Amino acid sequence: MVRVSREDFSVAAATNDSAYRRVTVPVLRIEAGPGPAVALIAGVHGDEWEGQAAILDLWRQLPGMLQHGTVYLLPAVNAEASLAGTRLSPSDGGNLNRAFLGAPARGYTESVAAALEARLLPRIQAMVDVHSGGASLCYLPSSVITRYGNDAYDERLPALARAFGFPDCVFFRGNEAGSMPAAASRHGVLRLSAEIGGGRQTRGALVDGCRDGLLGCLAELGLLPASPVPANRDVRLYDLDAPAATLRAGEPGVFVPGVELGQVVTADQPIGRLIEPARPDIPARPLYAPQAGTVVCLRAIARSDDGDCLLQVAPALPLDSLASKY
């Protein structure tokens, strides 16, 4: 018998206009007997919509599908930022993916992180945390594997990435103690993430693909009898943590890309330019690919400043090479 319950929690989110304001984070718990406990999370950044929409679909669909285990659904884990459509929390400017800092929790964002670390992470064995490029970036739809610190390689990760169903997977390394990967690591939680779309828009095909990918992960973890989409066995891996993977603006300007997501480029190939229409005497400044590979990420906002990420590019590797990245 499937049991469904709400486990919402609220935290203080004071503003200059509301001293005692609180924001509620919605949580749905679906229990279907013995099996692992898994959290499906989106909205760590409030302007990343594809995962939020996909988990909201599952909020209504999964109670009639779950066969084993327990699933926690958090479609808008940073509810304040989701309601505002912003990356950061409006009340304190916090980044929830850098707020897992322990006690004392200072402000709304750290309070949400503290609640997740106290109430959710000790109760689960695995999680899928869906992101996108948000307002400023667009990503090739990809699963994401993040290694925190010196975490040992987990042989279950390639199977989860294949179960997510997308043909692309990106790899990051992280050492920030306040990140979601760090918090998951502290609790021994298996974690897969995703980067799906972005650019302050939402496409139905990406939402559907994300939803099916989440179901595929639940099937891989033994909570569903089968995935709606067969696991993708031919997954390409991109190491975006390599220093040459990211091209940043070295000065202000309007970014005019000359390449598309998924396009294969060579090292030093022209990939666009920076222009300054209000200063027509300033010549266009050409931009070149930092290395050969596939364009995995592009800036979605034309006006750019010194230090902004304009593009990420990396060579495609077989997913089975993941172990060597550890």
Side-chain angles (χ1 to χ4, degrees):
M1 179 179 177
V2 175
R3 292 186 290 273
V4 180
S5 58
R6 294 290 293 267
E7 297 202 358
D8 303 359
F9 62 89
S10 69
V11 298
T15 68
N16 288 328
D17 297 322
S18 183
Y20 301 131
R21 175 172 175 262
R22 298 187 71 86
V23 172
T24 297
V25 176
V27 183
L28 189 70
R29 182 176 188 265
I30 309 168
E31 185 179 4
V38 180
L40 305 181
I41 295 175
V44 167
H45 300 124
D47 63 351
E48 299 177 357
W49 299 112
E50 291 79 5
Q52 296 186 61
I55 294 178
L56 186 60
D57 283 349
L58 294 180
W59 186 285
R60 299 181 172 92
Q61 298 170 7
L62 193 58
M65 302 171 65
L66 196 66
Q67 298 289 308
H68 306 285
T70 301
V71 176
Y72 296 89
L73 298 178
L74 292 87
V77 68
N78 188 340
E80 185 189 50
S82 176
L83 290 167
T86 57
R87 178 177 180 83
L88 305 179
S89 308
S91 60
D92 61 8
N95 180 347
L96 183 55
N97 206 24
R98 301 294 185 271
F100 291 83
L101 300 172
R106 298 158 296 184
Y108 162 82
T109 311
E110 288 184 22
S111 295
V112 173
L116 293 172
E117 189 145 15
R119 300 164 60 99
L120 180 69
L121 293 180
R123 301 165 70 180
I124 61 175
Q125 289 76 56
M127 65 184 294
V128 184
D129 171 27
V130 183
H131 291 255
S132 81
S136 65
L137 299 169
C138 286
Y139 270 93
L140 195 66
S142 308
S143 57
V144 175
I145 293 171
T146 305
R147 182 192 187 192
Y148 173 71
N150 294 318
D151 282 351
Y153 174 65
D154 193 317
E155 294 182 351
R156 297 172 292 177
L157 286 170
L160 269 184
R162 290 187 171 99
F164 202 81
F166 287 175
D168 299 293
C169 177
V170 300
F171 176 69
F172 293 100
R173 297 173 188 84
N175 291 294
E176 295 176 280
S179 68
M180 179 80 83
S185 175
R186 288 193 289 271
H187 291 271
V189 174
L190 175 67
R191 179 181 178 272
L192 184 77
S193 187
E195 292 283 1
I196 302 174
R200 215 180 242 135
Q201 60 181 335
T202 310
R203 285 183 282 161
L206 290 182
V207 172
D208 293 348
C210 178
R211 181 199 61 226
D212 290 346
L214 293 169
L215 292 173
C217 289
L218 293 180
E220 175 65 28
L221 293 166
L223 282 73
L224 293 175
S227 169
V229 178
N232 193 320
R233 297 298 167 188
D234 188 23
V235 177
R236 300 175 290 263
L237 181 71
Y238 304 94
D239 183 357
L240 294 189
D241 202 62
T246 300
L247 175 66
R248 300 184 188 278
E251 55 189 321
V254 175
F255 177 42
V256 182
V259 293
E260 302 290 337
L261 281 177
Q263 183 174 334
V264 176
V265 300
T266 58
D268 298 321
Q269 174 181 328
I271 57 85
R273 62 194 189 273
L274 284 175
I275 62 172
E276 196 56 87
R279 301 288 185 269
D281 294 332
I282 298 176
R285 289 140 292 172
L287 300 164
Y288 302 95
Q291 64 176 352
T294 301
V295 178
V296 178
C297 172
L298 272 176
R299 181 166 171 81
I301 299 176
R303 170 58 65 184
S304 303
D305 207 346
D306 183 16
D308 285 341
C309 172
L310 301 178
L311 170 148
Q312 290 182 302
V313 59
L317 305 170
L319 184 60
D320 289 340
S321 68
L322 176 65
S324 68
K325 296 297 177 182
Y326 278 70

